[in-house]
Short mmCIF file of all heavy atoms in Angstrom, two decimals:
data_model
loop_
_atom_site.label_atom_id
_atom_site.label_comp_id
_atom_site.label_asym_id
_atom_site.label_seq_id
_atom_site.Cartn_x
_atom_site.Cartn_y
_atom_site.Cartn_z
N LEU A 8 1.99 6.88 -6.83
CA LEU A 8 0.98 7.87 -7.17
C LEU A 8 1.52 9.29 -7.03
O LEU A 8 1.31 10.15 -7.89
CB LEU A 8 -0.25 7.68 -6.29
CG LEU A 8 -1.43 8.65 -6.53
CD1 LEU A 8 -1.96 8.48 -7.94
CD2 LEU A 8 -2.52 8.41 -5.51
N ILE A 9 2.23 9.54 -5.95
CA ILE A 9 2.81 10.86 -5.72
C ILE A 9 3.82 11.20 -6.81
O ILE A 9 3.84 12.32 -7.35
CB ILE A 9 3.48 10.94 -4.32
CG1 ILE A 9 2.39 10.91 -3.23
CG2 ILE A 9 4.31 12.22 -4.20
CD1 ILE A 9 2.95 10.75 -1.84
N LEU A 10 4.65 10.24 -7.17
CA LEU A 10 5.63 10.46 -8.24
C LEU A 10 4.93 10.77 -9.55
O LEU A 10 5.38 11.64 -10.33
CB LEU A 10 6.52 9.22 -8.40
CG LEU A 10 7.60 9.01 -7.34
CD1 LEU A 10 8.38 7.72 -7.64
CD2 LEU A 10 8.55 10.19 -7.28
N PHE A 11 3.83 10.07 -9.81
CA PHE A 11 3.09 10.28 -11.05
C PHE A 11 2.52 11.70 -11.10
O PHE A 11 2.61 12.39 -12.11
CB PHE A 11 1.95 9.26 -11.17
CG PHE A 11 1.07 9.49 -12.36
CD1 PHE A 11 1.48 9.14 -13.64
CD2 PHE A 11 -0.18 10.08 -12.19
CE1 PHE A 11 0.66 9.37 -14.74
CE2 PHE A 11 -1.00 10.31 -13.29
CZ PHE A 11 -0.58 9.94 -14.56
N VAL A 12 1.93 12.16 -9.98
CA VAL A 12 1.35 13.49 -9.93
C VAL A 12 2.43 14.55 -10.13
O VAL A 12 2.26 15.52 -10.88
CB VAL A 12 0.61 13.72 -8.59
CG1 VAL A 12 0.21 15.18 -8.45
CG2 VAL A 12 -0.61 12.81 -8.51
N LEU A 13 3.56 14.37 -9.46
CA LEU A 13 4.66 15.32 -9.60
C LEU A 13 5.18 15.35 -11.02
O LEU A 13 5.50 16.41 -11.57
CB LEU A 13 5.80 14.95 -8.63
CG LEU A 13 5.52 15.21 -7.15
CD1 LEU A 13 6.67 14.66 -6.29
CD2 LEU A 13 5.31 16.69 -6.87
N TYR A 14 5.24 14.17 -11.64
CA TYR A 14 5.70 14.08 -13.03
C TYR A 14 4.75 14.83 -13.95
O TYR A 14 5.18 15.59 -14.82
CB TYR A 14 5.80 12.62 -13.47
CG TYR A 14 6.02 12.46 -14.96
CD1 TYR A 14 7.27 12.69 -15.52
CD2 TYR A 14 4.96 12.11 -15.80
CE1 TYR A 14 7.46 12.56 -16.88
CE2 TYR A 14 5.14 11.98 -17.15
CZ TYR A 14 6.40 12.20 -17.70
OH TYR A 14 6.58 12.08 -19.05
N GLN A 15 3.44 14.66 -13.74
CA GLN A 15 2.45 15.32 -14.56
C GLN A 15 2.55 16.83 -14.43
O GLN A 15 2.46 17.56 -15.41
CB GLN A 15 1.03 14.87 -14.18
CG GLN A 15 0.70 13.45 -14.60
CD GLN A 15 0.62 13.32 -16.11
OE1 GLN A 15 1.60 12.94 -16.75
NE2 GLN A 15 -0.51 13.66 -16.67
N GLN A 16 2.76 17.31 -13.19
CA GLN A 16 2.86 18.75 -12.98
C GLN A 16 4.11 19.32 -13.63
O GLN A 16 4.07 20.37 -14.26
CB GLN A 16 2.85 19.06 -11.48
CG GLN A 16 1.52 18.80 -10.82
CD GLN A 16 1.53 19.11 -9.34
OE1 GLN A 16 2.59 19.26 -8.74
NE2 GLN A 16 0.35 19.21 -8.74
N CYS A 17 5.23 18.62 -13.53
CA CYS A 17 6.47 19.08 -14.14
C CYS A 17 6.37 19.01 -15.66
O CYS A 17 6.83 19.88 -16.38
CB CYS A 17 7.66 18.24 -13.66
SG CYS A 17 8.05 18.48 -11.91
N ASN A 18 5.74 17.93 -16.13
CA ASN A 18 5.64 17.71 -17.56
C ASN A 18 4.76 18.77 -18.22
O ASN A 18 4.91 19.07 -19.39
CB ASN A 18 5.05 16.32 -17.82
CG ASN A 18 5.38 15.80 -19.20
OD1 ASN A 18 6.39 16.17 -19.77
ND2 ASN A 18 4.54 14.95 -19.71
N ALA A 19 3.83 19.35 -17.46
CA ALA A 19 2.91 20.32 -18.02
C ALA A 19 3.54 21.70 -18.18
O ALA A 19 2.96 22.56 -18.83
CB ALA A 19 1.66 20.42 -17.15
N GLN A 20 4.71 21.91 -17.57
CA GLN A 20 5.29 23.24 -17.56
C GLN A 20 6.07 23.55 -18.82
O GLN A 20 7.25 23.87 -18.79
CB GLN A 20 6.18 23.41 -16.32
CG GLN A 20 5.45 23.28 -15.00
CD GLN A 20 4.32 24.28 -14.87
OE1 GLN A 20 4.50 25.45 -15.11
NE2 GLN A 20 3.14 23.81 -14.50
N ILE A 21 5.40 23.46 -19.98
CA ILE A 21 6.04 23.85 -21.23
C ILE A 21 6.29 25.35 -21.23
O ILE A 21 7.32 25.83 -21.68
CB ILE A 21 5.19 23.43 -22.44
CG1 ILE A 21 5.80 23.99 -23.72
CG2 ILE A 21 3.75 23.85 -22.30
CD1 ILE A 21 5.09 23.55 -24.97
N PHE A 22 5.36 26.11 -20.68
CA PHE A 22 5.52 27.55 -20.58
C PHE A 22 6.00 27.88 -19.17
O PHE A 22 5.22 28.20 -18.28
CB PHE A 22 4.19 28.26 -20.86
CG PHE A 22 3.67 28.04 -22.25
CD1 PHE A 22 2.60 27.20 -22.48
CD2 PHE A 22 4.26 28.67 -23.34
CE1 PHE A 22 2.11 26.99 -23.75
CE2 PHE A 22 3.78 28.47 -24.61
CZ PHE A 22 2.71 27.61 -24.82
N LYS A 23 7.31 27.77 -18.96
CA LYS A 23 7.87 28.04 -17.64
C LYS A 23 7.73 29.52 -17.29
O LYS A 23 7.83 29.91 -16.13
CB LYS A 23 9.33 27.59 -17.59
CG LYS A 23 9.47 26.08 -17.73
CD LYS A 23 10.92 25.66 -17.68
CE LYS A 23 11.04 24.15 -17.85
NZ LYS A 23 12.45 23.69 -17.84
N GLU A 24 7.54 30.33 -18.30
CA GLU A 24 7.20 31.73 -18.14
C GLU A 24 6.19 32.07 -19.24
O GLU A 24 6.02 31.30 -20.17
CB GLU A 24 8.44 32.62 -18.23
CG GLU A 24 9.19 32.53 -19.55
CD GLU A 24 10.39 33.46 -19.60
OE1 GLU A 24 10.24 34.65 -19.21
OE2 GLU A 24 11.46 33.02 -20.02
N PRO A 25 5.49 33.19 -19.14
CA PRO A 25 4.52 33.54 -20.18
C PRO A 25 5.20 33.70 -21.54
O PRO A 25 6.34 34.17 -21.63
CB PRO A 25 3.95 34.87 -19.69
CG PRO A 25 4.18 34.87 -18.22
CD PRO A 25 5.48 34.15 -18.02
N TYR A 26 4.49 33.32 -22.59
CA TYR A 26 4.95 33.51 -23.97
C TYR A 26 3.91 34.35 -24.71
O TYR A 26 2.71 34.25 -24.45
CB TYR A 26 5.13 32.16 -24.67
CG TYR A 26 6.48 31.52 -24.43
CD1 TYR A 26 6.81 30.99 -23.19
CD2 TYR A 26 7.43 31.46 -25.45
CE1 TYR A 26 8.05 30.40 -22.97
CE2 TYR A 26 8.68 30.88 -25.24
CZ TYR A 26 8.98 30.35 -24.00
OH TYR A 26 10.21 29.78 -23.78
N TYR A 27 4.40 35.17 -25.66
CA TYR A 27 3.53 36.12 -26.34
C TYR A 27 3.60 35.98 -27.86
O TYR A 27 4.68 35.79 -28.43
CB TYR A 27 3.93 37.56 -25.98
CG TYR A 27 3.74 37.91 -24.53
CD1 TYR A 27 4.66 37.50 -23.57
CD2 TYR A 27 2.64 38.65 -24.11
CE1 TYR A 27 4.49 37.82 -22.23
CE2 TYR A 27 2.46 38.98 -22.77
CZ TYR A 27 3.39 38.56 -21.84
OH TYR A 27 3.22 38.87 -20.51
N PHE A 28 2.44 36.07 -28.48
CA PHE A 28 2.35 36.24 -29.93
C PHE A 28 2.12 37.71 -30.19
O PHE A 28 1.16 38.30 -29.68
CB PHE A 28 1.19 35.41 -30.50
CG PHE A 28 0.85 35.76 -31.93
CD1 PHE A 28 1.74 35.48 -32.95
CD2 PHE A 28 -0.36 36.36 -32.24
CE1 PHE A 28 1.44 35.80 -34.27
CE2 PHE A 28 -0.68 36.69 -33.55
CZ PHE A 28 0.22 36.40 -34.58
N ILE A 29 3.01 38.34 -30.98
CA ILE A 29 2.89 39.75 -31.28
C ILE A 29 2.16 39.88 -32.61
O ILE A 29 2.75 39.73 -33.68
CB ILE A 29 4.27 40.44 -31.35
CG1 ILE A 29 5.07 40.18 -30.07
CG2 ILE A 29 4.13 41.93 -31.60
CD1 ILE A 29 6.49 40.68 -30.11
N GLY A 30 0.86 40.11 -32.55
CA GLY A 30 0.04 40.17 -33.75
C GLY A 30 -0.02 41.56 -34.34
O GLY A 30 0.51 42.53 -33.79
N PRO A 31 -0.70 41.70 -35.49
CA PRO A 31 -0.80 43.00 -36.16
C PRO A 31 -1.56 44.04 -35.34
O PRO A 31 -1.28 45.24 -35.45
CB PRO A 31 -1.57 42.67 -37.44
CG PRO A 31 -1.40 41.21 -37.65
CD PRO A 31 -1.32 40.62 -36.26
N ASP A 32 -2.54 43.61 -34.52
CA ASP A 32 -3.36 44.56 -33.78
C ASP A 32 -3.23 44.42 -32.26
O ASP A 32 -3.43 45.39 -31.53
CB ASP A 32 -4.84 44.38 -34.14
CG ASP A 32 -5.08 44.57 -35.62
OD1 ASP A 32 -4.61 45.59 -36.15
OD2 ASP A 32 -5.71 43.71 -36.25
N GLU A 33 -2.93 43.22 -31.79
CA GLU A 33 -2.86 42.97 -30.36
C GLU A 33 -1.91 41.82 -30.09
O GLU A 33 -1.43 41.18 -31.01
CB GLU A 33 -4.26 42.63 -29.82
CG GLU A 33 -4.87 41.42 -30.50
CD GLU A 33 -6.36 41.26 -30.24
OE1 GLU A 33 -6.93 42.15 -29.59
OE2 GLU A 33 -6.93 40.27 -30.69
N MET A 34 -1.64 41.59 -28.83
CA MET A 34 -0.79 40.48 -28.45
C MET A 34 -1.64 39.38 -27.82
O MET A 34 -2.74 39.64 -27.31
CB MET A 34 0.29 40.93 -27.46
CG MET A 34 1.24 41.97 -28.02
SD MET A 34 2.61 42.35 -26.90
CE MET A 34 1.74 43.04 -25.47
N HIS A 35 -1.13 38.17 -27.84
CA HIS A 35 -1.78 37.05 -27.17
C HIS A 35 -0.77 36.45 -26.20
O HIS A 35 0.40 36.25 -26.57
CB HIS A 35 -2.23 35.98 -28.17
CG HIS A 35 -3.26 36.46 -29.14
ND1 HIS A 35 -4.60 36.15 -29.02
CD2 HIS A 35 -3.16 37.26 -30.22
CE1 HIS A 35 -5.27 36.72 -30.01
NE2 HIS A 35 -4.42 37.41 -30.75
N VAL A 36 -1.19 36.19 -24.99
CA VAL A 36 -0.29 35.65 -23.98
C VAL A 36 -0.69 34.21 -23.65
O VAL A 36 -1.88 33.90 -23.58
CB VAL A 36 -0.28 36.52 -22.70
CG1 VAL A 36 -1.65 36.66 -22.10
CG2 VAL A 36 0.71 35.98 -21.67
N TYR A 37 0.30 33.36 -23.47
CA TYR A 37 0.11 31.94 -23.15
C TYR A 37 0.88 31.65 -21.86
O TYR A 37 2.07 31.98 -21.75
CB TYR A 37 0.64 31.04 -24.27
CG TYR A 37 -0.09 31.19 -25.58
CD1 TYR A 37 0.11 32.31 -26.38
CD2 TYR A 37 -0.98 30.22 -26.02
CE1 TYR A 37 -0.57 32.46 -27.59
CE2 TYR A 37 -1.65 30.35 -27.23
CZ TYR A 37 -1.45 31.47 -27.99
OH TYR A 37 -2.13 31.62 -29.19
N LYS A 38 0.19 31.02 -20.92
CA LYS A 38 0.83 30.72 -19.64
C LYS A 38 0.28 29.41 -19.11
O LYS A 38 -0.93 29.15 -19.18
CB LYS A 38 0.57 31.84 -18.64
CG LYS A 38 1.19 31.61 -17.27
CD LYS A 38 0.81 32.71 -16.30
CE LYS A 38 1.39 32.46 -14.92
NZ LYS A 38 0.99 33.51 -13.95
N SER A 39 1.15 28.56 -18.56
CA SER A 39 0.68 27.32 -17.95
C SER A 39 0.94 27.35 -16.45
O SER A 39 1.89 27.96 -15.97
CB SER A 39 1.38 26.10 -18.57
OG SER A 39 2.75 26.08 -18.26
N SER A 40 0.05 26.70 -15.72
CA SER A 40 0.19 26.55 -14.28
C SER A 40 -0.28 25.16 -13.90
O SER A 40 -1.47 24.84 -14.08
CB SER A 40 -0.63 27.62 -13.54
OG SER A 40 -0.53 27.44 -12.13
N ASN A 41 0.64 24.34 -13.42
CA ASN A 41 0.34 22.93 -13.13
C ASN A 41 -0.25 22.26 -14.37
O ASN A 41 0.43 22.18 -15.38
CB ASN A 41 -0.57 22.82 -11.91
CG ASN A 41 0.10 23.36 -10.66
OD1 ASN A 41 1.30 23.17 -10.47
ND2 ASN A 41 -0.66 24.02 -9.81
N ASP A 42 -1.51 21.86 -14.32
CA ASP A 42 -2.07 21.14 -15.47
C ASP A 42 -3.03 22.00 -16.28
O ASP A 42 -3.88 21.49 -17.02
CB ASP A 42 -2.79 19.86 -15.00
CG ASP A 42 -4.04 20.16 -14.17
OD1 ASP A 42 -4.17 21.33 -13.72
OD2 ASP A 42 -4.87 19.26 -13.99
N THR A 43 -2.90 23.33 -16.19
CA THR A 43 -3.80 24.22 -16.92
C THR A 43 -3.01 25.18 -17.81
O THR A 43 -2.02 25.76 -17.38
CB THR A 43 -4.68 25.03 -15.95
OG1 THR A 43 -5.36 24.14 -15.07
CG2 THR A 43 -5.70 25.86 -16.72
N LEU A 44 -3.49 25.33 -19.04
CA LEU A 44 -2.93 26.31 -19.98
C LEU A 44 -3.92 27.47 -20.09
O LEU A 44 -5.11 27.27 -20.34
CB LEU A 44 -2.74 25.67 -21.36
CG LEU A 44 -2.34 26.61 -22.50
CD1 LEU A 44 -0.94 27.19 -22.26
CD2 LEU A 44 -2.39 25.87 -23.84
N TYR A 45 -3.41 28.69 -19.88
CA TYR A 45 -4.24 29.89 -19.97
C TYR A 45 -3.81 30.70 -21.19
O TYR A 45 -2.61 30.83 -21.46
CB TYR A 45 -4.05 30.77 -18.73
CG TYR A 45 -4.39 30.10 -17.42
CD1 TYR A 45 -3.41 29.44 -16.68
CD2 TYR A 45 -5.68 30.14 -16.91
CE1 TYR A 45 -3.72 28.82 -15.47
CE2 TYR A 45 -5.99 29.54 -15.70
CZ TYR A 45 -5.01 28.88 -15.00
OH TYR A 45 -5.33 28.27 -13.79
N THR A 46 -4.79 31.25 -21.92
CA THR A 46 -4.46 32.13 -23.05
C THR A 46 -5.40 33.33 -23.03
O THR A 46 -6.54 33.23 -22.57
CB THR A 46 -4.60 31.41 -24.40
OG1 THR A 46 -5.99 31.22 -24.71
CG2 THR A 46 -3.90 30.06 -24.39
N SER A 47 -4.92 34.45 -23.56
CA SER A 47 -5.75 35.64 -23.62
C SER A 47 -5.12 36.67 -24.53
O SER A 47 -3.92 36.63 -24.80
CB SER A 47 -5.93 36.24 -22.22
OG SER A 47 -6.86 37.31 -22.26
N THR A 48 -5.94 37.60 -25.01
CA THR A 48 -5.40 38.77 -25.71
C THR A 48 -4.95 39.78 -24.66
O THR A 48 -5.46 39.80 -23.54
CB THR A 48 -6.47 39.41 -26.61
OG1 THR A 48 -7.63 39.71 -25.82
CG2 THR A 48 -6.87 38.48 -27.73
N THR A 49 -4.00 40.62 -25.02
CA THR A 49 -3.47 41.57 -24.05
C THR A 49 -2.80 42.73 -24.77
O THR A 49 -2.37 42.61 -25.92
CB THR A 49 -2.46 40.89 -23.10
OG1 THR A 49 -2.02 41.84 -22.12
CG2 THR A 49 -1.26 40.37 -23.85
N PHE A 50 -2.71 43.85 -24.10
CA PHE A 50 -1.95 45.01 -24.59
C PHE A 50 -0.85 45.37 -23.59
O PHE A 50 -0.28 46.46 -23.66
CB PHE A 50 -2.88 46.21 -24.79
CG PHE A 50 -3.85 46.04 -25.92
CD1 PHE A 50 -5.12 45.55 -25.69
CD2 PHE A 50 -3.48 46.34 -27.23
CE1 PHE A 50 -6.02 45.38 -26.73
CE2 PHE A 50 -4.37 46.17 -28.28
CZ PHE A 50 -5.64 45.69 -28.04
N SER A 51 -0.57 44.46 -22.68
CA SER A 51 0.38 44.75 -21.62
C SER A 51 1.23 43.52 -21.31
O SER A 51 0.80 42.38 -21.54
CB SER A 51 -0.36 45.18 -20.36
OG SER A 51 0.51 45.29 -19.26
N LEU A 52 2.43 43.77 -20.79
CA LEU A 52 3.27 42.66 -20.33
C LEU A 52 2.97 42.32 -18.87
O LEU A 52 3.57 41.39 -18.32
CB LEU A 52 4.75 43.02 -20.49
CG LEU A 52 5.25 43.22 -21.92
CD1 LEU A 52 6.76 43.36 -21.95
CD2 LEU A 52 4.81 42.08 -22.83
N GLN A 53 2.06 43.06 -18.27
CA GLN A 53 1.59 42.72 -16.93
C GLN A 53 0.58 41.59 -17.08
O GLN A 53 -0.47 41.77 -17.70
CB GLN A 53 0.95 43.93 -16.26
CG GLN A 53 1.91 45.09 -16.05
CD GLN A 53 3.02 44.75 -15.07
OE1 GLN A 53 2.78 44.12 -14.05
NE2 GLN A 53 4.24 45.18 -15.38
N GLN A 54 0.88 40.43 -16.52
CA GLN A 54 0.03 39.25 -16.75
C GLN A 54 -1.28 39.36 -15.97
O GLN A 54 -1.27 39.69 -14.79
CB GLN A 54 0.78 38.00 -16.34
CG GLN A 54 2.07 37.79 -17.12
CD GLN A 54 3.18 37.32 -16.24
OE1 GLN A 54 3.01 36.39 -15.49
NE2 GLN A 54 4.34 37.97 -16.32
N PRO A 55 -2.39 39.06 -16.64
CA PRO A 55 -3.68 39.08 -15.93
C PRO A 55 -3.77 37.96 -14.91
O PRO A 55 -3.04 36.97 -14.99
CB PRO A 55 -4.70 38.89 -17.06
CG PRO A 55 -3.94 38.27 -18.18
CD PRO A 55 -2.52 38.72 -18.05
N LYS A 56 -4.67 38.11 -13.96
CA LYS A 56 -4.91 37.05 -12.99
C LYS A 56 -5.61 35.89 -13.69
O LYS A 56 -6.23 36.06 -14.73
CB LYS A 56 -5.76 37.57 -11.84
CG LYS A 56 -5.06 38.65 -11.01
CD LYS A 56 -5.95 39.15 -9.89
CE LYS A 56 -5.23 40.22 -9.08
NZ LYS A 56 -6.08 40.74 -7.98
N ALA A 57 -5.50 34.71 -13.09
CA ALA A 57 -6.01 33.49 -13.72
C ALA A 57 -7.46 33.63 -14.18
O ALA A 57 -7.82 33.18 -15.27
CB ALA A 57 -5.88 32.31 -12.76
N LYS A 58 -8.31 34.27 -13.38
CA LYS A 58 -9.72 34.38 -13.71
C LYS A 58 -9.97 35.28 -14.92
O LYS A 58 -11.03 35.21 -15.54
CB LYS A 58 -10.50 34.92 -12.51
CG LYS A 58 -10.60 33.93 -11.35
CD LYS A 58 -11.45 34.50 -10.23
CE LYS A 58 -11.58 33.51 -9.08
NZ LYS A 58 -12.39 34.06 -7.97
N LYS A 59 -9.01 36.13 -15.26
CA LYS A 59 -9.21 37.07 -16.36
C LYS A 59 -8.68 36.57 -17.69
O LYS A 59 -8.81 37.26 -18.71
CB LYS A 59 -8.58 38.42 -16.00
CG LYS A 59 -9.28 39.12 -14.84
CD LYS A 59 -8.78 40.53 -14.64
CE LYS A 59 -9.56 41.23 -13.54
NZ LYS A 59 -9.11 42.63 -13.34
N TYR A 60 -8.07 35.40 -17.71
CA TYR A 60 -7.63 34.84 -18.98
C TYR A 60 -8.85 34.42 -19.78
O TYR A 60 -9.85 33.94 -19.24
CB TYR A 60 -6.70 33.64 -18.76
CG TYR A 60 -5.26 34.04 -18.51
CD1 TYR A 60 -4.81 34.32 -17.23
CD2 TYR A 60 -4.37 34.14 -19.56
CE1 TYR A 60 -3.50 34.70 -17.00
CE2 TYR A 60 -3.05 34.51 -19.35
CZ TYR A 60 -2.62 34.79 -18.06
OH TYR A 60 -1.32 35.15 -17.85
N ARG A 61 -8.80 34.61 -21.09
CA ARG A 61 -9.97 34.37 -21.94
C ARG A 61 -10.23 32.88 -22.16
O ARG A 61 -11.38 32.44 -22.17
CB ARG A 61 -9.76 35.06 -23.29
CG ARG A 61 -10.92 34.87 -24.26
CD ARG A 61 -10.74 35.71 -25.51
NE ARG A 61 -10.83 37.13 -25.21
CZ ARG A 61 -10.71 38.09 -26.14
NH1 ARG A 61 -10.50 37.76 -27.40
NH2 ARG A 61 -10.80 39.36 -25.80
N ASN A 62 -9.18 32.08 -22.34
CA ASN A 62 -9.34 30.66 -22.61
C ASN A 62 -8.55 29.82 -21.61
O ASN A 62 -7.47 30.22 -21.18
CB ASN A 62 -8.88 30.32 -24.03
CG ASN A 62 -9.64 31.10 -25.09
OD1 ASN A 62 -9.10 31.99 -25.70
ND2 ASN A 62 -10.90 30.77 -25.29
N HIS A 63 -9.12 28.67 -21.27
CA HIS A 63 -8.50 27.77 -20.30
C HIS A 63 -8.53 26.35 -20.86
O HIS A 63 -9.55 25.91 -21.40
CB HIS A 63 -9.25 27.80 -18.96
CG HIS A 63 -9.48 29.18 -18.43
ND1 HIS A 63 -10.44 30.04 -18.97
CD2 HIS A 63 -8.89 29.85 -17.42
CE1 HIS A 63 -10.41 31.18 -18.29
NE2 HIS A 63 -9.50 31.10 -17.36
N TYR A 64 -7.40 25.66 -20.73
CA TYR A 64 -7.32 24.29 -21.21
C TYR A 64 -6.71 23.39 -20.14
O TYR A 64 -5.73 23.78 -19.48
CB TYR A 64 -6.44 24.19 -22.46
CG TYR A 64 -6.90 25.01 -23.63
CD1 TYR A 64 -6.46 26.32 -23.81
CD2 TYR A 64 -7.78 24.49 -24.58
CE1 TYR A 64 -6.88 27.08 -24.89
CE2 TYR A 64 -8.20 25.24 -25.68
CZ TYR A 64 -7.75 26.53 -25.82
OH TYR A 64 -8.17 27.28 -26.89
N LYS A 65 -7.28 22.22 -19.99
CA LYS A 65 -6.65 21.22 -19.13
C LYS A 65 -5.60 20.49 -19.95
O LYS A 65 -5.87 20.02 -21.05
CB LYS A 65 -7.68 20.21 -18.61
CG LYS A 65 -7.03 19.12 -17.76
CD LYS A 65 -8.05 18.11 -17.25
CE LYS A 65 -7.35 17.00 -16.45
NZ LYS A 65 -8.32 16.00 -15.93
N ILE A 66 -4.39 20.41 -19.42
CA ILE A 66 -3.31 19.72 -20.12
C ILE A 66 -3.34 18.24 -19.74
O ILE A 66 -3.12 17.88 -18.58
CB ILE A 66 -1.94 20.34 -19.75
CG1 ILE A 66 -1.92 21.83 -20.12
CG2 ILE A 66 -0.81 19.60 -20.47
CD1 ILE A 66 -0.70 22.57 -19.63
#
Side-chain angles (χ1 to χ4, degrees):
L8 181 62
I9 291 171
L10 285 179
F11 174 77
V12 171
L13 289 174
Y14 169 77
Q15 288 292 96
Q16 291 180 345
C17 292
N18 202 27
Q20 298 302 311
I21 174 176
F22 298 106
K23 295 180 181 178
E24 60 178 314
Y26 275 71
Y27 295 79
F28 167 67
I29 306 173
D32 302 310
E33 58 194 4
M34 298 186 297
H35 296 257
V36 58
Y37 296 75
K38 180 184 178 182
S39 67
S40 178
N41 297 323
D42 66 345
T43 306
L44 172 67
Y45 301 92
T46 73
S47 186
T48 55
T49 183
F50 291 94
S51 172
L52 295 188
Q53 298 295 318
Q54 300 138 49
K56 295 180 180 179
K58 290 183 179 179
K59 293 189 176 182
Y60 277 88
R61 180 173 293 181
N62 301 108
H63 310 75
Y64 300 91
K65 177 180 178 180
I66 301 172

